[in-house]
């Protein structure tokens, strides 16, 4: 297949190339696009150097699948051009996610939705994907009534700038120097920032609303009550989410563990007495989302608590996009 | 007054000395106790050097108030001796907190409880204090029905060893060396660990049960449904807690902000559009708890969300203990 990666020098773009190789995605030709300041650089794919280009008039000619991870503005501007040229766009940005004509897909959950695409398939926000993965088997087991999700999000969710900020602030601290925030609104090293994306008048952030809306759309439960709090923590790559879920039908701890363990793309790590539970450092670099700390809610008869961790760049972004493309091929 | 500090070389003991000075607590004589390995060292109080002693037979003779922060085993062993010698013990450990004959006090909330003491007054767990501070005015405004608390706890909650672990792991990373966990069960630098204190058969940790039981006892709501998740984060000193609270009577966002702002010991930092919300690095070294991100719960008619941060060593421990002693003097 002829494919394009737009935003190829970003954190998600780089991970996309890596996973395309790992999964032996049938790439006959790769075009690598990025913004002006990366043009002339090269990226490596399957041991070969690929020149980074700026998107020009004939950019998408002959392209079959285009992975977009350059941001919403770029997706809004160029995705329609790619579609017009005959490509299917797998879009990692938030540009089209809530468009009712665009499917929003997590392949393990709603693969069927991909069929209705009109040229664009949207990939959910990283925090939404990690949160929704265990919610699906739980919903199938007991029908969700309400979800409270509280996140611990890695800096890679803010791209290479976020990663560089945590790195450089920590190194400054190690040298005994003052820490100056440049990219995040406040110091992120040795701190937590309860602020991801912009604030609305009701006090919620864009990230929190994405979580609510995307979980509802993916699960096809448009009225599901979801209560979100999203927080940035000084972790490099994997997102963690503490979830409290209330169900119509009681789901016991044992049953919850069973359905989590049996769901594709989820791995149960829940032997706390042996120190075994999901954490960012152990989830990083892996494809599955990891769920543990499964506990019956002591404050509610039909409540269950769990803790889910997923690599934000893999299942939270690049991997999910490539899984969507694999569905399209099939 | 003649006072004793037991566990004087620990993180809480050191902060106790600092705050006794700051608040000009009327100390006529100070005795400084610690474990065998600190004996012979000296601590500084009001510019003078005080020799660190091991607790001997006459240790508490003449002592009026003894602050204990050496751990549960030490409190169980020596607090009764101090009481027998005529001292009132302010105990920071978990040894007596749930003893029905021992008051568990946060002075802004249940100062009256101190009157019933029989020689020991217990100081709550740091996470419980930070969580319960905003819950009290919220309960007074709308009567609490259910509380879901999810924590982001600093390493200082595990004492000087916890602080040293984050420091040394981060410095190892900065030198490009491998990170070896010594004190926490897993790497804490650039990671989050959903595990504070030991695990029970139901999957909850001791820290989570403390949060439930202590919040209930302090608020004098023995049946309040509380749903806890406690997590260690790579932050040095202040604890953060994301709280969702359901009330009998609707409390609007404006009303919640009003009652938070008016409560002693709480400061409202809730101008998110100006980047103003509580964070560990801005709460560190301060006496108040800081509350922000106040949002009406979109998943429940009578729900409210907020984010509270407090210096674990100050209001979460040493300061609260000294406030209890100030109540005793009055």
């Amino acid at each position: 297949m002829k494919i394009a990666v737009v935003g190829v020098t970003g954190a998600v773009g780089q991970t996309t190339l890596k996973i395309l190789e790992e999964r032996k995605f049938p790439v006959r030709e790769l075009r690598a696009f990025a913004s002006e300041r990366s043009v002339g650089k090269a990226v490596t794919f399957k041991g070969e150097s690929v020149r980074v280009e700026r998107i020009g008039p004939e950019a998408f000619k002959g392209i079959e699948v285009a992975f977009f991870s350059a941001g919403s503005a770029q997706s809004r501007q160029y995705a329609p051009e790619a579609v017009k040229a005959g490509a299917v766009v797998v879009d990692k940005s938030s540009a089209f996610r809530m468009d009712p004509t665009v499917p929003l897909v997590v392949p393990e959950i709603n693969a069927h939705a991909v069929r209705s695409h009109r040229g664009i398939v949207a990939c959910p926000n990283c925090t939404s994907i990690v949160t929704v993965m265990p919610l699906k088997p739980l919903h199938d087991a007991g029908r969700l009534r309400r979800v409270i999700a509280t996140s611990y999000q890695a800096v890679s969710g803010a791209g290479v700038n976020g990663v560089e900020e945590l790195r450089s602030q920590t190194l400054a601290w190690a040298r005994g120097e003052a820490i100056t925030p440049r990219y995040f609104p406040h110091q992120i090293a040795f701190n937590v920032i309860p602020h991801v994306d912009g604030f609305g008048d009701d006090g919620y952030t864009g990230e929190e609303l994405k979580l609510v809306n995307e979980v509802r759309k993916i699960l096809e439960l448009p009225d599901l009550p979801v209560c979100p709090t999203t927080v940035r923590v000084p972790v490099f790559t994997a997102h963690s989410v503490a979830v409290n879920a209330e169900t119509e039908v009681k789901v016991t701890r044992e049953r919850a563990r069973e359905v989590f363990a049996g769901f594709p793309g989820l791995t149960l790590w829940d032997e706390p007495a042996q120190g075994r539970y999901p954490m960012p450092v152990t989830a990083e670099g892996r494809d599955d989302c990891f769920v543990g700390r499964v506990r019956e809610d002591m404050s509610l008869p039909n409540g269950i608590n769990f803790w889910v961790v997923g690599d934000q760049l893999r299942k939270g972004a690049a991997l999910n996009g490539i899984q969507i493309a694999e569905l399209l091929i099939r």
Side-chain angles (χ1 to χ4, degrees), chain A:
Chain A
M1 299 193 80
K2 288 183 70 172
I3 73 150
V5 177
V6 179
V8 75
T9 56
V12 175
Q14 285 294 296
T15 309
T16 299
L17 294 189
K18 205 192 303 177
I19 300 178
L20 285 170
E21 288 186 21
E22 283 174 15
R23 294 174 77 92
K24 303 189 174 30
F25 192 91
V27 180
R28 189 158 51 84
E29 191 184 325
L30 170 76
R31 290 190 73 174
F33 295 108
S35 63
E36 202 64 72
R37 68 176 184 286
S38 297
V39 170
K41 291 185 189 171
V43 293
T44 306
F45 183 64
K46 290 186 177 171
E48 283 176 35
S49 179
V50 180
R51 199 170 50 87
V52 176
E53 312 168 64
R54 214 196 169 298
I55 294 176
E58 300 274 274
F60 298 104
K61 201 179 166 190
I63 295 293
E64 288 157 280
V65 177
F67 297 98
F68 274 69
S69 59
S72 293
Q74 283 66 28
S75 289
R76 269 196 207 92
Q77 187 174 355
Y78 297 113
E81 285 187 24
V83 173
K84 210 174 292 167
V88 179
V89 169
V90 177
D91 186 27
K92 257 308 301 166
S93 86
S94 64
F96 304 104
R97 287 186 195 139
M98 296 315 297
D99 182 329
T101 68
V102 173
L104 181 68
V105 176
V106 177
E108 293 87 345
I109 298 177
N110 62 339
H112 64 89
V114 103
R115 280 187 233 121
S116 64
H117 81 81
R118 303 183 189 178
I120 301 176
V121 182
C123 189
N125 180 265
C126 41
T127 308
S128 305
I129 294 178
V130 173
T131 306
V132 81
M133 280 289 287
L135 286 177
K136 171 63 174 165
L138 199 61
H139 177 67
D140 291 341
R143 294 200 304 281
L144 291 171
R145 193 147 64 184
R146 182 181 175 221
V147 172
I148 298 162
T150 309
S151 74
Y152 300 66
Q153 298 184 213
V155 293
S156 66
V160 287
N161 290 328
V163 173
E164 179 48 31
E165 179 100 331
L166 175 57
R167 208 184 120 73
S168 63
Q169 288 186 356
T170 308
L171 289 172
W173 170 88
R175 289 189 303 261
E177 294 168 10
I179 288 174
T180 312
R182 285 174 221 279
Y183 187 69
F184 293 117
H186 301 281
Q187 172 180 334
I188 183 63
F190 311 111
N191 196 25
V192 301
I193 308 177
H195 174 182
V196 183
D197 206 344
F199 284 99
D201 287 341
D202 55 4
Y204 285 92
T205 61
E207 186 82 354
E208 286 162 350
L209 299 185
K210 279 179 208 165
L211 181 57
V212 175
N213 294 327
E214 296 180 17
V215 162
R216 287 172 171 177
K217 182 168 176 176
I218 298 160
L219 293 177
E220 298 169 8
L221 297 169
D223 302 315
L224 180 70
V226 179
C227 179
T229 299
T230 61
V231 180
R232 187 80 66 194
V233 296
V235 160
F236 281 109
T237 308
H239 286 2
S240 309
V241 188
V243 182
N244 174 268
E246 186 182 349
T247 52
E248 297 283 342
V249 177
K250 169 81 176 174
V251 179
T252 63
R253 187 178 180 212
E254 267 328 293
R255 181 73 185 131
R257 290 156 80 144
E258 221 173 83
V259 301
F260 290 150
F263 194 69
L266 267 190
T267 297
L268 183 74
W269 277 352
D270 195 25
E271 292 143 287
Q274 282 73 54
R276 192 163 170 80
Y277 33 72
M279 292 183 296
V281 292
T282 42
E284 191 177 333
R286 293 179 180 244
D287 284 347
D288 273 11
C289 291
F290 298 88
V291 66
R293 300 287 338 263
V294 182
R295 291 154 290 156
E296 284 178 33
D297 182 350
M298 55 175 92
S299 74
L300 203 72
N302 286 4
I304 193 109
N305 293 313
F306 57 88
W307 171 257
V308 58
V309 182
D311 186 315
Q312 177 272 322
L313 292 173
R314 296 183 78 93
K315 185 58 188 169
L319 171 63
N320 197 72
I322 292 168
Q323 288 175 307
I324 290 172
E326 290 169 346
L327 281 180
L328 290 166
I329 296 177
R330 260 184 264 150

